[in-house]
Amino acid sequence: MFLLLTRGRNRAFIRKELGIGDETVKSHAKAVYRKFEVHSQQELINLVEEERGEGEGRRRAVGETSF
């Protein structure tokens, strides 16, 4: 689910790929967003890109402190 979301796949694609229902996709997507403290698929993609050094700027990872 995480990889599909970070690759920009939509719910219909994820549903078909994983063989699960639409409500299950929505539920799992929300859990992923909550875990990574984002509110949308695009925010998740941006976070992954930033962590890989591909995005503009860098957001601190969950639990990471700055000194």
Side-chain angles (χ1 to χ4, degrees), residues 1 4 6 8-9 12 18 20 27 30 42-47 51-52 55 58:
M1 173 72 72
L4 294 170
T6 60
R9 302 299 188 178
L18 299 180
I20 58 179
S27 174
K30 285 181 184 180
Q42 187 60 55
E43 285 183 25
L44 181 65
I45 292 168
N46 293 345
L47 178 64
E51 290 300 316
R52 289 182 178 164
R58 183 179 182 280

Side-chain angles (χ1 to χ4, degrees), residues 1 3 5-7 10 14-15 19 22-23 26 34 36-37 40 43 46 48-49 52 55 59 63-66:
M1 173 72 72
L3 290 175
L5 288 169
T6 60
R7 291 179 179 157
N10 64 27
I14 294 171
R15 180 174 38 84
D22 194 52
E23 291 300 316
K26 288 195 310 191
R34 193 170 38 253
F36 289 93
E37 298 180 352
S40 68
E43 285 183 25
N46 293 345
V48 170
E49 288 176 352
R52 289 182 178 164
R59 177 181 165 187
E64 182 179 317
T65 57
S66 62

